[in-house]
């Protein structure tokens, strides 16, 4: 039976979706706080065929003069809905951005905002169910259109302790109150979403990179998957 499944898989080898001529091949890089996403983007930013979009953190730090990221970390119960509403708006803006390059590479996405961060706030009782419901209605409305289609997820998979070590070293002012337990919990949610695949059905194929590797060797890890990220090589869809 497995043999037949594998033959079908091979026949259907054409990748899940390779974008189309009206839309670039869209790749989102996902991972815990401190997993090295910015560093990953810098590697691909050198490629003229790739339009790279970092997380709009500067917009979150200054929405009409308000630092919503700081407000959220300081009092998540009070500010989670405000912050996540703005995350959803700003990430939609990046999903919709028109580019002339064949490949769009985004740091995070509407999907991790909803599936990881809102999920975590909901589980911790920091966002009331009615607020989660409103965020979720917006998320479902937007993702029912083709405004936020993605073709590939790159998961920078880190051990929570290594991610936390990097956060402390980077020492971002708003993250001073971030505890290891939060990073551990975010790691578990990313694992369920992108590795164990038990949280939401992930339609786009996922490439998992070992992001624990130190900066001195991690470029080789990036280069291993460059053909897939540049849409030069289809992702083999494994049928278990
Ligand atoms: N492979 C690596 N080895 C060692 N240090 C790294 C590595 N990748 C990133 N760092 C360092 O860890 C810190 C976090 O990296 P980076 O900002 O790329 O993470 P991030 O995933 O973008 O974080 P965030 O989700 O908070 O934006 C930075 O100080 C960066 O220099
Ligand atoms: N609560 C919450 N919801 C999000 O959708 C979200 N996306 C990113 N972040 C936090 C992680 C880093 O501190 C910092 C930069 O990634 O912003 C988020 N926090």
């Amino acid at each position: 039976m497995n043999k037949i499944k594998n033959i079908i898989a091979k026949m259907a080898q054409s990748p899940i979706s390779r974008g189309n001529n009206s839309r670039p091949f869209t790749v989102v890089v996902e991972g815990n706080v401190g997993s090295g996403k910015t560093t990953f983007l810098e590697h691909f930013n050198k490629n003229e065929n790739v339009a790279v979009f970092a997380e709009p953190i500067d917009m979150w730090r200054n929405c009409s003069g308000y630092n919503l990221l700081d407000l959220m970390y300081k009092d998540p119960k009070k500010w989670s809905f405000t912050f996540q509403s703005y995350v959803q708006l700003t990430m939609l803006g990046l999903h919709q951005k028109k580019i002339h390059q064949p490949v769009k590479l985004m740091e995070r996405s509407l999907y991790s905002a909803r599936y990881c961060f809102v999920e975590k706030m909901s589980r911790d009782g920091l966002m009331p169910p009615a607020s989660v419901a409103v965020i979720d209605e917006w998320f479902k409305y937007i993702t029912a259109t083709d405004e936020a289609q993605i073709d590939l997820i790159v998961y920078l998979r880190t051990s929570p302790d290594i991610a936390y070590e990097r956060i402390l070293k980077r020492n971002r002012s708003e993250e001073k109150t971030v505890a290891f337990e939060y990073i551990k919990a975010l790691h578990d949610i990313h694992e369920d979403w992108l590795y164990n695949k038990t949280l939401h059905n992930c339609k786009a194929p996922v490439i998992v990179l070992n992001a624990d590797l130190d900066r001195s060797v991690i470029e080789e890890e990036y280069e291993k998957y460059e053909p897939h990220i540049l849409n030069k090589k289809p992702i083999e869809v494994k049928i278990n």
Side-chain angles (χ1 to χ4, degrees), residues 31-40 42 55 57 107-108 117 156 162-163 165-167 169-172 175 211-218 222:
N32 206 345
V33 187
S35 54
K37 296 181 297 301
T38 307
T39 311
F40 177 88
E42 283 159 5
E55 252 179 343
I57 187 168
E107 182 182 10
R108 290 225 177 91
F117 290 97
L156 299 186
I162 290 188
E165 200 181 289
R166 292 175 184 172
I167 292 165
K169 195 175 64 178
R170 179 185 50 202
N171 195 27
R172 194 180 265 154
E175 294 168 352
D212 279 348
L213 293 171
D214 192 74
R215 207 207 306 274
S216 52
V217 293
I218 200 157
Y222 298 161

Side-chain angles (χ1 to χ4, degrees), residues 157-203:
R157 189 172 186 237
T158 43
S159 315
D161 53 324
I162 290 188
Y164 194 61
E165 200 181 289
R166 292 175 184 172
I167 292 165
L168 296 178
K169 195 175 64 178
R170 179 185 50 202
N171 195 27
R172 194 180 265 154
S173 61
E174 295 89 347
E175 294 168 352
K176 282 197 178 353
T177 56
V178 172
F180 172 73
E181 290 67 25
Y182 178 71
I183 300 304
K184 172 72 174 70
L186 271 185
H187 167 76
D188 293 343
I189 293 176
H190 277 84
E191 287 285 281
D192 286 346
W193 176 36
L194 297 173
Y195 194 74
N196 309 323
K197 308 266 179 95
T198 52
L199 184 67
H200 309 293
N201 67 332
C202 191
K203 290 196 188 72

Side-chain angles (χ1 to χ4, degrees), residues 90-232:
T90 52
M91 290 313 285
L92 172 59
L94 294 184
H95 281 289
Q96 291 178 320
K97 263 232 184 328
K98 296 287 175 253
I99 58 170
H100 61 270
Q101 296 92 327
V103 178
K104 174 188 271 194
L105 175 58
M106 288 175 59
E107 182 182 10
R108 290 225 177 91
S109 64
L110 271 174
Y111 302 91
S112 43
R114 172 65 192 85
Y115 293 154
C116 300
F117 290 97
V118 171
E119 181 72 23
K120 174 69 179 135
M121 288 164 156
S122 172
R123 290 183 188 179
D124 293 351
L126 295 173
M127 186 185 288
S131 301
V132 174
V134 171
I135 293 282
D136 199 42
E137 286 304 315
W138 273 106
F139 174 77
K140 288 188 294 192
Y141 180 86
I142 295 168
T143 50
T145 69
D146 59 5
E147 296 293 307
Q149 299 280 314
I150 58 174
D151 301 300
L152 175 64
I153 299 175
V154 175
Y155 174 29
L156 299 186
R157 189 172 186 237
T158 43
S159 315
D161 53 324
I162 290 188
Y164 194 61
E165 200 181 289
R166 292 175 184 172
I167 292 165
L168 296 178
K169 195 175 64 178
R170 179 185 50 202
N171 195 27
R172 194 180 265 154
S173 61
E174 295 89 347
E175 294 168 352
K176 282 197 178 353
T177 56
V178 172
F180 172 73
E181 290 67 25
Y182 178 71
I183 300 304
K184 172 72 174 70
L186 271 185
H187 167 76
D188 293 343
I189 293 176
H190 277 84
E191 287 285 281
D192 286 346
W193 176 36
L194 297 173
Y195 194 74
N196 309 323
K197 308 266 179 95
T198 52
L199 184 67
H200 309 293
N201 67 332
C202 191
K203 290 196 188 72
V206 181
I207 290 178
V208 181
L209 269 60
N210 172 9
D212 279 348
L213 293 171
D214 192 74
R215 207 207 306 274
S216 52
V217 293
I218 200 157
E219 299 266 335
E220 289 150 42
E221 182 79 351
Y222 298 161
E223 279 150 15
K224 235 161 60 180
Y225 299 98
E226 202 149 311
H228 305 88
I229 292 162
L230 299 180
N231 195 22
K232 298 261 183 283

Side-chain angles (χ1 to χ4, degrees), residues 52-66:
V52 170
F53 294 96
E55 252 179 343
I57 187 168
D58 292 340
M59 295 177 78
W60 305 341
R61 285 171 146 161
N62 180 5
C63 173
S64 302
Y66 297 100

